[in-house]
Each structure stands twice: as C-alpha cells, then as structure tokens.
Amino acid sequence: MYIRKLGKRIIGADLTAAEKRAMDIEIGKAFAEYDRKNTTEIDAIVLLLVAKHFNADAEKLKEVYDDFISQMDALVDRYELEAGDNPWLCTEILKGMGVDIDAWRRERNLE
C-alpha cells in the first residue's frame, strides 16, 4: 500500500492489486453474511403476506416457499450464464402481465 500525504497529514492510500482483491473478497463475505442474516426475515414477510391476502394455510405456504426458493436458485444461476445467454427474469414475466415493479419502486421513491 502506498500512503499519500500532504505534509504530515495522510490524505489517501493506493492499494496494490493483491490488496484490492483481498478487500473485494472481504466485502463479498460481508454482503453474504448480511444476506444470510436477513433472508429468513424476508421469507417470513413474503409468507405472511401470502397468508394474509390469500388465506393460505401452512401446507400452501410450504408450496409457495418451495417454489420461491427454486425461483431464487434460478436467479442465482442467472449470474453464472455466459454473455450470449438470454436469462429468464421474473421481472420481465411480470411486466408482460402489466406489473412493473421498477415503476412501483419509483412511485415510492425507492430508487
């Protein structure tokens, strides 16, 4: 690492390629940990909403959950495809049904 100074004050640092890679790995680990901590709560919110709006019982919620997990796995697989592949996206299917989640997010000032 090269430390940049202005007089006696440190004003920045330049990382080596190896240090940048190590930092990227640590950031990835932090995101993965954050995701693990929040996944169960997000799943619970989705299932509670399905139960509330559609009077789903535990058996139906299990079906929804299993389907949801397989869709999430497909989303993860999407990032492993080669550049020429045309991945299937839930958002595009919903847009075809008249559901534009991006527009809904903009309406709520979430973007």
Side-chain angles (χ1 to χ4, degrees):
M1 176 183 332
Y2 172 73
I3 304 294
R4 288 185 275 145
K5 292 183 177 182
L6 181 60
K8 293 183 179 185
R9 293 184 69 196
I10 295 174
I11 60 169
D14 295 317
L15 301 176
T16 66
E19 290 168 329
K20 287 178 186 176
R21 277 192 303 278
M23 186 173 67
D24 288 343
I25 289 169
E26 289 305 313
I27 290 170
K29 287 178 183 178
F31 276 124
E33 180 62 23
Y34 177 83
D35 187 49
R36 276 191 293 279
K37 287 180 179 178
N38 292 288
T39 296
T40 299
E41 199 60 29
I42 293 168
D43 291 351
I45 290 168
V46 170
L47 292 174
L48 281 171
L49 289 170
V50 170
K52 175 184 172 184
H53 290 282
F54 303 105
N55 296 318
D57 60 10
E59 184 178 326
K60 184 53 93 174
L61 290 176
K62 177 72 165 91
E63 287 178 38
V64 169
Y65 180 75
D66 289 343
D67 194 20
F68 181 75
I69 294 301
S70 50
Q71 296 303 322
M72 289 300 291
D73 289 343
L75 182 64
V76 170
D77 289 344
R78 168 174 94 94
Y79 293 103
E80 296 173 8
L81 297 175
E82 297 195 19
D85 290 337
N86 186 13
W88 172 82
L89 299 171
C90 295
T91 52
E92 292 302 314
I93 290 175
L94 287 170
K95 281 181 184 177
M97 298 167 59
V99 176
D100 188 342
I101 295 173
D102 292 328
W104 292 355
R105 290 183 59 77
R106 285 191 297 276
E107 286 174 11
R108 295 178 143 262
N109 295 319
L110 297 173
E111 289 189 1

